[in-house]
Each structure stands twice: as structure tokens, then as C-alpha cells.
């Protein structure tokens, strides 16, 4: 389903920031450049199902047009607890990263304002290697999302920021809501 271009809802951005600022969070995807769109959506559905019940999550869907083609990439913003969870969220991110062949994911501890890029394979960054990305804020989601899909080394902070002109934080479908709605 294509999203029509709409002005970004700043109140959605504030709700995400308020919900995540003192929580363990992670950003991960099951999308791969070498897979079909149908396969990618199915894998992200499996990732979301695996996450459901353990952690809260929001879908992060940027809108990107390359030439005349809408590019559909999607990641999940996992929201853990506002206290030490003994590494449960971090372990889940590592496990799912390996399961879906991802090279990296983003993680932020509840008691640290900074987000970190962590490796999940032998690609950059190497497995269990951490790189500080600076203070976490949802308005930097375009940068964080782009880091999941880059195959190069550590990119310049602004290198990918303009690639995604808009993005949305969406609540997943549920029994009570049959549509994905903006958070």
C-alpha cells in the first residue's frame, strides 16, 4: 500500500521521543537488497511476530522515490523497558540480526542518551563492535534507517539524511485496529 505524501505529523515525533527517551530501544530490519519485495515484507512480518509479546514496536516506513520507482524499505523500532533488562533486548537484536542476515542494527540503553551502531556479522561494524551515533532522537530516524542498508564503512552523519524525504512511525495492526495508523 503506497502512502500518499502528507505533511509530517510533529505530534507523532513527540510521542515517539516521549515513549523512547528513557527506554531500551533498538532499530532492526529483515529487509535485504538482494531479496524480492514480497520476500522482504514476509521476513519483516516474521520479525515483527517474533518481537510481538516480548517488546513493543513501531514500524518505521520511509518514503523514497528513486527515478520513477517507489522504494519500499521498512524497519522496526523496538521499545523495551525503562530499566535494566539484563540484556534481553540487545540479545534479541543480535539473534534476529543473525537470523535474517543483517549486518548491523541500532541500540540505545535506557540510561544512556546516545544511540550506537552494533555489528551482527563480519561486515562493518564487526560482530559485537559498537560505534557511537550521538544523542538518540526520532527526528534522526532517516540517518539510523539508512545505516541499516548501507554496505560501505561508517558513513558521514549527513550522507544519507536527505535520501529519505519523509518517514512515518506506524502502530502495527491489531485486533482492535485493522489498519496501520501513525503513532
Amino acid at each position: 500500500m503506497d502512502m500518499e505524501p502528507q505533511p509530517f505529523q510533529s505530534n507523532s515525533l513527540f510521542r515517539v521521543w516521549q515513549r523512547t527517551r528513557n527506554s531500551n530501544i533498538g532499530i532492526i530490519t529483515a529487509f535485504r537488497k538482494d531479496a524480492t519485495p514480497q520476500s522482504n515484507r514476509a521476513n519483516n512480518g516474521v520479525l515483527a511476530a517474533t518481537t510481538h509479546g516480548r517488546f513493543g514496536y513501531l514500524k518505521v516506513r520511509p518514503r523514497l522515490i528513486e527515478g520513477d520507482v517507489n522504494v519500499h524499505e521498512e524497519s522496526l523500532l523496538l521499545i523495551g523497558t525503562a530499566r535494566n533488562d539484563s540484556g534481553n533486548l540487545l540479545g534479541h537484536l543480535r539473534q534476529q540480526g543473525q537470523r535474517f542476515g543483517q549486518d548491523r542494527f541500532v541500540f540505545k540503553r535506557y540510561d544512556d542518551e546516545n544511540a550506537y551502531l552494533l555489528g551482527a556479522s563480519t561486515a562493518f561494524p564487526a560482530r559485537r563492535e559498537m560505534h557511537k551515533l550521538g544523542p538518540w532522537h526520532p527526528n534522526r530516524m532517516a540517518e539510523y534507517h539508512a545505516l541499516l542498508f548501507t554496505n560501505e564503512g561508517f558513513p558521514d552523519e549527513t550522507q544519507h539524511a536527505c535520501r529519505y524525504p519523509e518517514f512515518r512511525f506506524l502502530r502495527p495492526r491489531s485486533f482492535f485496529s485493522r489498519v496501520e495508523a501513525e503513532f
Side-chain angles (χ1 to χ4, degrees):
M1 171 164 91
D2 287 339
M3 294 185 327
E4 293 300 316
Q6 298 172 3
F8 185 77
Q9 302 294 321
S10 59
N11 57 350
S12 174
L13 192 63
F14 178 73
R15 281 192 298 271
V16 172
W17 177 77
Q18 201 170 30
R19 175 68 177 92
T20 60
R21 69 181 171 174
N22 294 321
S23 298
N24 290 316
I25 62 167
I27 304 168
I28 192 168
T29 187
F31 274 54
R32 299 213 26 106
K33 295 269 187 204
D34 57 354
T36 65
Q38 297 81 9
S39 174
N40 279 332
R41 281 193 293 277
N43 285 342
N44 236 33
V46 171
L47 176 60
T50 303
T51 300
H52 183 70
R54 294 186 71 188
F55 308 102
Y57 71 91
L58 297 173
K59 288 186 177 182
V60 180
R61 191 173 297 148
R63 180 179 170 91
L64 172 63
I65 300 173
E66 289 181 349
D68 293 335
V69 179
N70 280 342
V71 177
H72 298 280
E73 297 173 347
E74 183 178 274
S75 59
L76 299 179
L77 171 62
L78 281 59
I79 305 168
T81 62
R83 64 186 191 289
N84 189 357
D85 68 355
S86 302
N88 287 333
L89 179 59
L90 185 57
H92 181 74
L93 290 165
R94 285 186 173 134
Q95 180 184 40
Q96 298 309 314
Q98 288 178 341
R99 177 180 180 188
F100 292 103
Q102 297 302 308
D103 295 327
R104 59 197 63 83
F105 57 89
V106 176
F107 177 71
K108 181 194 88 64
R109 285 180 44 92
Y110 73 99
D111 60 351
D112 188 350
E113 70 173 11
N114 293 303
Y116 296 87
L117 183 67
L118 281 85
S121 71
T122 57
F124 181 86
R127 185 173 161 79
R128 299 195 184 266
E129 200 173 292
M130 294 176 69
H131 290 276
K132 187 175 177 179
L133 299 175
W136 153 256
H137 200 283
N139 67 353
R140 293 185 60 203
M141 197 63 193
E143 296 170 47
Y144 303 138
H145 186 85
L147 289 170
L148 302 178
F149 292 97
T150 187
N151 290 329
E152 296 86 37
F154 196 67
D156 179 320
E157 267 189 40
T158 59
Q159 180 180 351
H160 297 286
C162 62
R163 183 168 184 234
Y164 301 97
E166 28 177 282
F167 58 95
R168 298 284 186 261
F169 294 97
L170 303 170
R171 279 186 235 131
R173 294 183 182 120
S174 70
F175 178 79
F176 299 104
S177 177
R178 300 293 181 184
V179 297
E180 293 174 337
E182 191 165 358
F183 182 72

